[in-house]
Amino acid sequence: MPERLIYLDNAATTRVDPRVVESMLPYFSEKYGNAASQYYELGRQARAALDTSREQLARLISALPEEIYFTSGATESDNWVIMGSVLGGNAKKKHIISLPTEHHAILEPLEWLKKNGYGDYTLLPVDKTGKVDPDDLKKAIRPDTALVTIMHSNNEIGTIQDIPALAAIAHEAGVPFHTDATQSVGKIAVDAKALGVDSLSLSAHKFHGPKGIGALYLKKGTRMGVFMHGGGQENNRRAGTSNVSGAVGMGCAADIASEYIADAPRQRQLTEDIWVGLANAIPKIYRNGHPEDRIPNLLSVCVEGAEGEAILGYLDMSGLQVSSGSACTSGSLEPSHVLLACGVPVELAHGSIRISISHETSLEDASFLVKTMPGAVERLRTMSVTWKG
């Protein structure tokens, strides 16, 4: 076991802020009521806490409290929008437009709908930085298009799309627009109204809140089918006993997120320093994603002549915790679908590393990574039969 663990996988999940933990504790023991039980005090306490949390989250993304619907996480929120748009929307509109670089929480529901005969979808091409051409979106919209869903910032390479421009194109054609902003909320300022979206997904554990709680922003007046059936919770739009403690934690995380957002310039500089340090020390290492239009805390690279999973193993032995891509696909032998969509060759995509920092990451942490990773790559390359450096 290394003497010190340095966590650099904040795109996968973040450490719950101690203040968040403290805010949640009473709702496990003292204030344990069901928010749907309004006939006695414990139930009313739970409902009041849920309402407060909704207000806190609404402030974070510049929305109205009644536009916030709590879910189990961004995956459920994404599924809700996709299923609700096709199965609960206009019977003549069954076509959805998205990107090949989206999270599997978008791509797999799209494929399920198509496979089972409920709808069809189009995935627009992206350039080498992961950006989509707005003209391609304009050309892809059909009379039967029910939804456009395009991620705000990519969870593997960090590229930020021009969501206001893309949403405007969709709206010009009368098509609702959804964005998965899971990697953006709590890291940079996200204004749902300014983005011009009809719906937006987010998850608490990406900005130092608890796991198992997320939300869906639904712009007032947006038509959306019910996804979870069996109760009248969330204004009759999402059934299931309210996760009050989780919502309280998410609300608290939302309230203190301004501290994390204020640290964004430092994090951007730190990721830049890491990149420069690695680029100077490791031959044939390549940066993925857009160099400027990106979230500040994420750096994705590909290393020629070394497997990403093997690099992770060496770094782990030194106490450095990073990933080779999305946490949802770690352990897969397949190269990243995001990198392949950006035109990265299969062999190079196998050498991908994702480094994601937070407000807790120090210059010392970054320096240790820059000092340690070149040695790991060099050792792996000496054992490679394909490396010709």
Side-chain angles (χ1 to χ4, degrees):
M1 174 72 72
E3 290 185 8
R4 180 179 174 222
L5 296 179
I6 299 175
Y7 184 72
L8 301 173
D9 196 19
N10 288 275
T13 196
T14 55
R15 184 176 77 93
V16 180
D17 191 293
R19 290 167 290 182
V20 171
V21 175
E22 185 178 0
S23 73
M24 296 172 66
L25 289 177
Y27 295 91
F28 290 111
S29 53
E30 303 162 27
K31 303 178 180 180
Y32 54 86
N34 189 323
S37 302
Q38 294 296 291
Y39 296 105
Y40 48 78
E41 180 60 21
L42 282 176
R44 289 191 292 271
Q45 287 177 354
R47 177 58 182 270
L50 201 64
D51 290 344
T52 298
S53 300
R54 208 181 305 276
E55 292 169 1
Q56 292 170 312
L57 198 52
R59 282 197 298 269
L60 177 62
I61 63 170
S62 300
L64 300 173
E66 57 266 32
E67 295 175 320
I68 301 296
Y69 295 85
F70 286 111
T71 65
S72 62
T75 293
E76 182 191 325
S77 298
D78 288 344
N79 274 257
W80 182 1
V81 172
I82 290 172
M83 299 297 186
S85 296
V86 171
L87 300 181
N90 188 325
K92 296 181 180 179
K93 295 194 173 187
K94 303 294 184 183
H95 175 243
I96 296 178
I97 299 172
S98 192
L99 303 183
T101 51
E102 294 287 313
H103 193 279
H104 287 295
I106 294 290
L107 296 176
E108 291 190 14
L110 290 177
E111 183 60 25
W112 185 90
L113 286 171
K114 182 177 181 179
K115 182 179 179 181
N116 289 278
Y118 293 111
D120 189 18
Y121 65 90
T122 298
L123 299 181
L124 306 176
V126 296
D127 64 19
K128 65 180 181 180
T129 71
K131 285 270 197 176
V132 63
D133 187 336
D135 285 338
D136 287 338
L137 172 59
K138 190 174 295 186
K139 295 172 185 174
I141 295 176
R142 309 184 328 205
D144 64 336
T145 300
L147 177 74
V148 175
T149 173
I150 294 177
M151 186 181 282
H152 186 264
S153 64
N154 188 270
N155 58 303
E156 290 194 29
I157 60 176
T159 296
I160 296 177
Q161 302 288 349
D162 187 354
I163 297 300
L166 297 169
I169 291 171
H171 290 156
E172 188 176 352
V175 178
F177 191 98
H178 168 257
T179 189
D180 182 336
T182 307
Q183 288 293 341
S184 300
V185 174
K187 298 182 178 74
I188 59 176
V190 173
D191 185 321
K193 295 291 189 292
L195 290 176
V197 299
D198 301 285
S199 56
L200 179 152
S201 302
L202 62 155
S203 198
H205 76 104
K206 302 296 187 181
F207 56 99
H208 305 279
K211 299 176 184 66
I213 184 73
L216 177 65
Y217 158 79
L218 277 178
K219 183 180 177 181
K220 202 169 183 179
T222 299
R223 183 176 178 178
M224 184 66 60
V226 175
F227 177 56
M228 298 279 282
H229 300 269
Q233 293 86 356
E234 296 300 300
N235 197 26
N236 293 309
R237 301 187 81 167
R238 193 267 185 186
T241 302
S242 300
N243 179 0
V244 178
S245 59
V248 167
M250 190 174 191
C252 180
D255 258 2
I256 60 181
S258 59
E259 298 177 17
Y260 317 141
I261 295 170
D263 190 54
R266 184 193 71 90
Q267 292 181 46
R268 181 176 292 275
Q269 184 59 56
L270 198 55
T271 55
E272 198 65 32
D273 292 343
I274 292 172
W275 163 241
V276 172
L278 294 178
N280 287 336
I282 302 174
K284 296 189 177 180
I285 183 173
Y286 309 95
R287 184 176 192 169
N288 303 313
H290 201 284
E292 297 173 359
D293 295 338
R294 61 179 178 86
I295 48 175
N297 71 314
L298 192 151
L299 172 66
S300 171
V301 300
C302 282
V303 180
E304 192 173 326
E307 290 284 331
E309 298 292 337
I311 296 173
L312 297 190
Y314 273 97
L315 295 179
D316 183 46
M317 288 189 290
S318 299
L320 287 159
Q321 300 168 89
V322 300
S323 75
S324 58
S326 168
C328 300
T329 56
S330 63
S332 171
L333 297 178
E334 296 297 318
S336 162
H337 70 284
V338 173
L339 296 180
L340 296 183
C342 294
V344 177
V346 173
E347 298 80 10
L348 188 56
H350 274 295
S352 68
I353 295 293
R354 182 184 69 177
I355 300 156
S356 47
I357 67 175
S358 78
H359 68 287
E360 298 180 318
T361 307
S362 67
L363 179 59
E364 182 184 5
D365 295 336
S367 299
F368 186 65
L369 172 67
V370 171
K371 178 182 177 182
T372 306
M373 187 166 154
V377 172
E378 185 177 356
R379 285 193 292 273
L380 290 169
R381 283 174 171 173
T382 60
M383 296 184 285
S384 172
V385 295
T386 59
W387 171 244
K388 299 176 182 179

